[in-house]
Amino acid sequence: MTVKEIMVIGAGQMGAGIALVFARSGYEVKLYDADIEALRRGKQYIEKVFEKDIAKGKMEADTKEKALNRLQLVVDLEADPITADFIIEAVVEKLEVKKEVFRKLDELAPTHTIFATNTSSLPITEIAAVTGRAEQFIGMHFMNPVPVMKLVEIIRGLETSESTCQTVQELTEALGKQDVEVKDFPGFVSNRILMPMINEAVYTVFEGIASIEDVDQVMKLGMNHPMGPLQLADFIGLDTCLSIMEILHEGFGDSKYRPCPLLRQYVQAGRLGKKAGRGFYTYSD
């Protein structure tokens, strides 16, 4: 299947990043969000990344303008007929919210349209089941920040067809990224490994073994990680980390995935990380 037009649902950091890489790669892109302020921030983010690329000599000014001209902001899904060949969702990491998004899209989108979810941990098969096109449904998990990170996890649901998987692999290659196909299990590969590490780092602080800064220093200097696990958690969002740990804990029923009480307490306090100005660290604008 030839894909010409992309629609991205959700203009947060992940959605805006996904829209950016598609527009930069020559696709016509519609970025949807019911919140017009979220759309404004999303476009500002895209423009900021492009400006940085120009400053570094990675992009020409006219290339930026062409990419922005391929990007259209949408605040009402029903105002005009959906014409996208491929729709990817990047809304909040909550199962029922994602299901509701795809129920609506299934009614509005053309029958040939492929659906993808950028979920980092939720079951692809279960989300696909709310649509009438499970064979055209797939997981396409981008890494954050999307414009920089090369990996895309591709996750087939039980009914995902070979042609759908091949189309998404070709899209990934067209974006200059590398795909890894994984099975539909909680957390897939990336977060099944990453989140328990972050959770264990939180436990070392909770149990008084080391300070926040020292835990991160051990992983940066001792394991050569570019960023410590607690700083990384702040960038991901502590609410997102907690949600994924709960999904792993429920999905596998194994106590090793039990979220650290301190992580839960930080989320309850509104200390959600960089986006809230405070998590394990404090951030200014």
Side-chain angles (χ1 to χ4, degrees):
M1 174 182 167
T2 301
V3 175
K4 295 181 179 179
E5 183 183 312
I6 307 291
M7 175 171 273
V8 181
I9 308 296
Q13 187 172 0
M14 291 301 294
I18 293 168
L20 183 156
V21 295
F22 274 112
R24 187 173 63 187
S25 299
Y27 292 93
E28 297 294 325
V29 180
K30 292 181 179 178
L31 177 60
Y32 164 79
D33 202 296
D35 183 350
I36 196 165
E37 280 302 305
L39 282 172
R40 181 185 61 79
R41 291 191 299 269
K43 188 175 183 184
Q44 284 181 338
Y45 166 77
I46 292 169
E47 291 173 339
K48 184 177 180 180
V49 172
F50 284 162
E51 287 297 333
K52 286 183 178 179
D53 286 346
I54 291 172
K56 294 176 181 177
K58 296 180 179 179
M59 175 181 273
E60 299 293 331
D62 64 332
T63 304
K64 169 197 167 186
E65 292 307 315
K66 288 177 181 176
L68 289 175
N69 287 337
R70 287 191 288 268
L71 177 66
Q72 180 181 341
L73 304 183
V74 178
V75 75
D76 185 352
L77 277 180
E78 300 184 51
D80 296 298
I82 292 177
T83 55
D85 304 302
F86 180 82
I87 300 178
I88 180 166
E89 160 275 319
V91 302
V92 65
E93 190 74 349
K94 293 186 181 297
L95 185 60
E96 289 308 317
V97 174
K98 292 183 184 292
K99 284 182 176 181
E100 187 54 38
V101 166
F102 282 110
R103 284 190 189 97
K104 186 171 185 179
L105 288 172
D106 199 37
E107 296 174 359
L108 299 175
T111 56
H112 77 277
T113 304
I114 291 174
F115 288 167
T117 173
N118 182 56
T119 180
S120 57
S121 57
L122 294 169
I124 306 303
T125 300
E126 185 173 348
I127 302 172
V130 305
T131 75
R133 60 183 86 193
E135 72 285 353
Q136 294 165 226
F137 197 103
I138 200 165
M140 191 181 191
H141 178 211
F142 287 84
M143 304 295 121
N144 188 26
V146 178
V148 177
M149 303 299 282
K150 293 293 186 182
L151 177 67
V152 176
E153 277 185 313
I154 294 178
I155 311 101
R156 296 194 199 208
L158 183 64
E159 307 291 345
T160 305
S161 70
E162 183 62 38
S163 62
T164 295
C165 190
Q166 183 177 346
T167 296
V168 174
Q169 288 172 329
E170 290 169 356
L171 282 174
T172 304
E173 184 178 352
L175 297 177
K177 297 189 181 295
Q178 176 66 51
D179 73 88
V180 173
E181 186 177 336
V182 304
K183 295 188 182 298
D184 187 14
F185 278 78
F188 315 132
V189 170
S190 58
N191 281 319
R192 185 171 176 178
I193 295 171
L194 174 63
M195 287 303 159
M197 182 190 75
I198 288 175
N199 195 51
E200 199 62 28
V202 181
Y203 265 114
T204 61
V205 174
F206 179 61
E207 294 169 1
I209 296 169
S211 69
I212 292 167
E213 293 79 6
D214 285 347
V215 169
D216 278 351
Q217 195 80 319
V218 166
M219 297 307 290
K220 286 191 290 184
L221 299 184
M223 312 305 168
N224 205 27
H225 289 196
M227 185 181 293
L230 300 173
Q231 184 184 11
L232 178 57
D234 275 356
F235 277 71
I236 293 169
L238 302 191
D239 52 340
T240 300
C241 294
L242 176 59
S243 176
I244 295 171
M245 286 306 302
E246 289 173 335
I247 290 165
L248 291 170
H249 192 211
E250 180 181 352
F252 290 110
D254 192 323
S255 62
K256 72 180 180 180
Y257 297 114
R258 181 172 66 92
C260 178
L262 182 61
L263 176 60
R264 193 178 300 280
Q265 191 174 44
Y266 270 39
V267 172
Q268 290 169 342
R271 293 174 62 165
L272 306 182
K274 190 173 186 294
K275 62 186 175 184
R278 192 180 184 199
F280 289 104
Y281 297 90
T282 301
Y283 302 86
S284 63
D285 290 340

